[in-house]
Structures are given as structure tokens and as C-alpha cells.
Amino acid sequence: LTGVPREQRAFQYVLAHAIPGDPRHVLQTFDQWCYRCEHLSSVGPVKGRIVERLLYERAPRRVLELGTYCGYGTVLLAQGLPSGARLYTVAVDPRHAAVAEKVIRLAGFDEQTVELIVGPSEEVIPRLREKHGLLKADFVFMDHWKRCYLRDLRLLETHQLLAEGATVLADNVLFPGAPHFLQYAKTCGKYRCKVHRASLEY
């Protein structure tokens, strides 16, 4: 009715209530909005703890996020990076990317720590090495269109963008579901797989 997109309404709330430069408080403010006002398909605090634990265990130097949306997952990833690490996040929708950029900077992360790349993942992935300087990713977080998971994993393999021992974490593989991705990961012989049980966000 207002003509303001849901994502922009959420950002306006975060801007008004979050503490600038405090990534944890930015995420908590997003959570408050999503619990009380409108649902956003962000990672959320429950699955967020899984992401945080894996980041702590792996301490990756180069992280790739496919599916920036409003920047919630980006802030979650960035706050868990070791010193000197870099995060590349890929957003397909320019309108969502504009919101995410503000959220990421509000949380206190500059372009040296988080690089936001706008474009379809199938076009961005082949250019990551030459155009963006990502030689190999130690940690990949997939949270974009589920039908793209398998295609993009194969693209990462083809362009040799996965470091040895890299972690690939994919959200919502059971529901809404990414069955072809899951079958490939389990049967191709390249990966050791674990399914993390969690509720849907919010």
C-alpha cells in the first residue's frame, strides 16, 4: 500500500533502531523486525548459530556467499571472519543489493572486508578470479535460488575456485529443497556430507 518494498521497510527499521558499527546488534534488530512485523527469508538466528559455529571451526580466509538478499547473511558471515579475511557476496537483484550495501556498511564492514558483486551467479562465478581476485574459496555459503545450487557448485568446480578441504554450506536443501544438488553432493565422491537439522527462519 505504501509503495515501499518490504526489504526497504525492514532496512528503515534497522536504520532507526540498530547501533551503527555493531554487527550483532544489526542482526538482532533484523530479527526483531522479522518476528514482530514482516517475514524476510534471511538466515535467522537459529540457523545463524550453525553458520557461526562452522566459521569458528574452519576460520576461512576467503569466503563466497551466493545470495546476498538484504545482507543479513553477509553480516553474519563477516562478523565471524578471522582478521584479514575477505568475503565476496553475490546479489542477483540490484534493488536488494542496494539495501544490502547499506546494511553491510551500517554494520561496520568496509569494501576491503566485504565486496558486494551484483549480477547472476552463473555470470559472476566464471569472472571471480580475473575480475575480483578470488583465487580459491575456503568457505562457500549458498542461500540463493535452490535450482541454481547444483549448477553453481559445478561452476565452482569447473573454474577451480574451491580450495582443498573447502566447506560448502547450503541452506534449505530439504525445504523448499534442492534434491539434485543434494544427490550430487552425496554421490559424486568429492564431498563428505552432513545435514544440519533446523527450523525454518522465524
Side-chain angles (χ1 to χ4, degrees), residues 33-87:
W33 172 265
C34 292
Y35 279 124
R36 300 173 184 174
C37 302
E38 293 180 281
H39 176 269
L40 292 176
S41 55
S42 300
V43 180
V46 176
K47 289 187 286 187
R49 285 192 286 274
I50 297 171
V51 177
E52 288 178 320
R53 176 169 52 80
L54 289 171
L55 282 174
Y56 177 77
E57 291 173 358
R58 306 292 195 273
R61 305 294 301 171
R62 294 292 178 266
V63 176
L64 173 64
E65 179 187 32
L66 300 176
T68 313
Y69 191 39
C70 292
Y72 183 105
T74 314
V75 172
L76 180 71
L77 290 164
Q79 73 169 1
L81 294 180
S83 178
R86 186 164 172 79
L87 167 61

Side-chain angles (χ1 to χ4, degrees), residues 43-51 53 169-175 195-202:
V43 180
V46 176
K47 289 187 286 187
R49 285 192 286 274
I50 297 171
V51 177
R53 176 169 52 80
L169 181 62
D171 194 16
N172 300 122
V173 293
L174 298 181
F175 182 84
V195 176
H196 300 269
R197 300 286 174 176
S199 61
L200 285 174
E201 57 276 355
Y202 309 113

Side-chain angles (χ1 to χ4, degrees), residues 110-147:
D110 60 21
E111 293 179 2
Q112 295 305 309
T113 303
V114 178
E115 180 177 350
L116 175 60
I117 305 165
V118 183
S121 55
E122 72 270 23
E123 296 177 11
V124 171
I125 290 172
R127 302 196 311 258
L128 281 172
R129 179 174 285 110
E130 290 75 15
K131 188 172 181 181
H132 302 281
L134 175 60
L135 301 180
K136 297 209 181 263
D138 307 303
F139 193 102
V140 178
F141 182 47
M142 293 186 170
D143 194 17
H144 55 324
W145 295 110
K146 312 313 162 206
R147 65 176 181 271

